[in-house]
Every structure is written in C-alpha cells, then in structure tokens.
Amino acid sequence: MSKFFTRMGDGSAVFLSEAEIRRDLEEGMLDAADRGKIPELTDDEMERLYQIITDPQKTVSIERGNEVVMTFDAGTLKLPVRAGLPVDRMTTVLTHERVLCSDTMEIGNADYSYKQLKNIVHEEAASMEFTQLNCIIPVFYGAMPNLGLYTKPDGPVDNWSELLPMAKIGEARAAQEEAIEMAVKDMVYIASILYEAGADGINFDTVGASGDGDFLATLKAIEILKSKYPDMAIEVGMAGEFVLGMHGQLEYDGTRLAGLYPHEQVKVVEKAGGTIFGAVINTNSSKSLPWNLARAVTFSKACSEASNIPVHVNAGMGVGGIPLTNTSPTDATSRVSKSLIEIGKADGL
Amino acid sequence: MLIIEDAIKEAQEAIVKCDENKAVAIAKQAIDAGLDLVKLLNDGFSAGIRIVGDKFGRGEIFLPELILSAEVMKKVTEILETAIVSDSAKEKKAVILIATVEGDVHDIGKGIVVSLLKTQGFEVVDIGRDVPVDKIIEKAIEVNADIIGTSALLTTTLVEQQKLEEELRARGLRDRFKTIVGGAPCTERWAKKIGADAYGEDASDAVVKCLKLLEK
C-alpha cells in the first residue's frame, strides 16, 4: 500500500497510508466540532483536505483569485530573533515590503508587552514615524496585554498563580480585577501615542495568555480607543483556542469570557470595536498534520462564518495546524495556508 | 442502604460540582455502610477529579472550579484515609518536585499542573521559576522526590531540561528519579531525545503521565 509523506505536530516526518490520513482528518475534524460545538466539515470539504494533504507537490498554493491579506504579530522580531539576521526594525519592515511582498507589517519591541513600553514609548513613537516615512504598506504597532506582568514580583498585584494553588480563590480573583484596570490604562496610553505617531493600526497580540482577565482588559482598552479614535484599525490576536478561566466569572457585555472558542471570541471582539480578529487553534504536537489541519479548518470555518469582521487565522509555529518547530516546514505551512483560506474561509493569515 | 455503585456515581458528581457537603456525606455514609473505601476513592472521587481535569482541558470549567474540586477531594481523602485500614490507596502517592528552568520566568502553566497534580494526591514541591539545575537536584534529594518535573516556555531555555538529564547521569542519580518535561516548545520527540521519562502535552496529560510513571 502506498504511503504519503506528511508530518507530525512536532515537525517530524511521517509516512501515512490513505486510510490513516482519512482517519486522522476525520478524528481531528470531529474533535473540533465536539469541543467547539460547531458544525462538522462536509464530505466535499474533507475530500478536498485529503487532496491537499496528499498533493505530490512539495509546496502547494491557493488558486488564483483566492489571495488573502497577511498581517503579522511580533512582526519585527521574526527576522532578527527567529531567523537570527542582524537587521534593525526599519530594515525588517522594508524587507517585508520590498522583498517578501507583505501586505502589512508590524513594529514591535523586544519587550513585547504594553506595560514594559511605558518608559520607552516616545522612542517607539519616533521609530514608527521614521518607518512610516520610508514605507508604503500599512504598519501596525503591536504588543501583548500580558496581565501576568502586573503581579508580584514583576508588578504590584498579588500573584494569582500562587494564590490559586493555595485555594485563595477570592483573593486571586480580586488581584486579577485590580490588574485589569492597570493594564487597560497602559494599553490605552501606549496605543494612543503610537497611533498619533502614525501607526496604521494597533495589534493586541497573544490576548488571553493570562486568562480571561487578560482578554477583558483588552476588550475594555479597545472600547476606549475606539471612542477616542473611531477610525483606528485594531487587530486582536488570541493566545489559544479557548479562553483560559483564571478568574472564571468575568463577563463582557453579559458574555462570560472563560471557555469561549474562536467563533464566540470573535463576537465579543467585534462588539468592543476590534476590526481584525486573529483566531488561534492550537497544534497538538503528538498528533499528525492531517489531524491538526482538519481541526484548525473546522474551527476557522465556524469562526469566519460567525464573524462580521475579517478573520486572520494565526498560522505559525505551533498554531493553526502548523507543526511546533522553530522554523516551519514549508510543505506543512503551505498546506495549512491553502486549507485555512479555501476551506476554513479565512480572510487573512 | 447505600450500595457501592451508587456511592461511586454520587462521589463523581460531588467532585464535578465542587459540592463539599455532599462529598463528605457520601464518604461518611460509605464508612457507616462498610463499603469498599479504596474502590470509592479510586473509582468515585478520583475518577471525578479526572472528569474535572478533562473538562478543564476542554474549556468547560475553569481554574477556580478546578481548585474548589481539589479542595473537596482533599477533605474526603482525609476522611476516607483515616478509615481505610489497608494502605493501598496511600501507596499511590508520590512526591513530585516541580520547577520552571533557569532563565525562564513563565509559570502560569506550571501553576495549573501543580493544582492538577495535587488533586490526584501527589505531594507537590513547587520550587518556583528561574531555577538552576543544581538547585533542582539538591532539592529533589532533600525532599526525596519520586518525580522531577520541569517546565520551559522558551526555545532558548529548553536546553536546561537536557542539562538536568545530563547532570543527573553525571552524578549517578538518574535512576533515583523519574523525570517529566513540559512547556510550549517541548515535544514528545524532545523528551525522548534528552532521555526524559515522560512528556506532558498539557496539564491534564502531565498528570496522566505522572500517574503512569508511578506504575513503572
């Protein structure tokens, strides 16, 4: 029986038979449908996924006319940090514009958290101004809400990661509520200065990494920013496929945030005033690419169908079905990109 | 008259619903009725905790509920263990030393793993974050740990897990401890490559793997 080259979620090569690939596609798709309580993919879509996975070409591409817009998180950290190229941020942005043909780009600091930027925000603003003078594509400014940085020893608030294991639930919740207010203030402060310095948009990246409080702080900051700057483009990229309930009872406009999956997350982001939603679907490193891809596509399709704003699915290291490796293998990345766009209905990546 | 099947079902429900009064009542009734308390603990209350762990992994319940369930579990375990003549349930317990490796200050995931491990009766010694290999080994010896668990969120700090394995081998201590590794960039392949005994994909999986390590 012939076998097809594919990968595991940790990037290792594996050869699977048609039956094994179809089984993994089915199981991955059903896992997403079950967890998210969302519709399953159709038989035609599953067949298409099978064709994409087993395409003999090393890399695949979308059909002409299906091109989508690309946005980036930690944009200016990718070439210098991930790829180890000794280039400054301006060069990174221009390389993306003039060599890689990126549609947009993002400037971010090595201390990629809003709280950490307060001391250097005016230098960041100057960088944004110079970059805008030199490039054509829209340039976002991005960082993470990173609510954990407000806890001891990095911040003034009691550490809920220490309080929770001690069953001090009330104290842990109160600490998170206190941190939310501080984070909102910092995010609005930084985003306002960078927007006024010329940023075409603001990116809130890895939202929810510290749980539902992290997500709520971002939504509140977006509300304020949209009232100050109604035309501001705001991208919200999530940290994981469901919102971790570190608090568990936080709500936004009557919706409990903990446990929301992408098709539900996008609705609250939309309500707060977000203009692009970066859905995240986690890659399971112990499962195959077919399993992870079918799962990611199922979540992506449901999210895109529920949304009234563009959905840019995160497609990178360990998310969106892409294997968890420092440098993503293009055979997998291209298959994931094509599937998310053509079956998962992603508006962008 | 309470029968074991009903007691097991109700014990599971009490844990899943974080219902301390009900859990304590079932435990006391089971003692009075002379039921198999080890079976009740393992198939009822502990199974309930596994359901809670699974629900947590699916985003259906959240950390505070998880902690509350763990507290209920702690209470009924105390009651039942006092009454259990056989020591079989206690034999499953182990000491696990857990740390985030040196150079890495991320501990949200580790905190969740600690909470889940406690729910399963492990004695967890959490020595925090940014912990050098020397200190991990020193502490593991001091608390007589059965398992050493290390977490790393960064690709740059992942190598500390490898360093731990090498250092344990160099000191002739490798067979004294079981090791488990986890964290965002960590994979099964990495665990095998460095010679760790287990890899936890997420918090729930880490607990399952730790329980399996005890069987070895």
Side-chain angles (χ1 to χ4, degrees), chain A residues 9 11 87 130 162 180 184 219 236 251 324 341:
Chain A
V87 288
F130 286 127
E162 290 172 3
I180 288 168
V184 170
L219 295 170
V236 177
E251 293 185 353
L324 183 67
I341 294 164

Side-chain angles (χ1 to χ4, degrees), chain A residues 10 12 34-35 37 153-154 164 167 169 173 209-210 242 244-247 256 258-259 261 284-286 324, chain B residues 56-60 62-65 67-68 71 108 111-112 115 118 129 155 184-187 189 199 201:
Chain A
D10 65 1
S12 56
D34 177 43
R35 282 172 186 260
K37 298 177 181 59
D154 304 305
L164 282 169
I169 291 164
R173 283 183 169 145
S210 301
F242 70 82
L244 190 62
M246 296 292 278
H247 185 291
R256 189 189 201 190
Y261 276 91
N284 184 324
S285 65
S286 304
L324 183 67
Chain B
F56 176 76
R58 298 164 67 89
E60 291 174 8
F62 312 111
L63 209 49
E65 287 102 317
I67 305 291
L68 283 174
E71 287 299 297
I108 293 173
I112 297 168
S115 302
K118 283 183 177 173
R129 52 191 188 170
T155 49
C186 195
T187 62
R189 190 163 57 147
Y199 156 69
E201 175 86 28

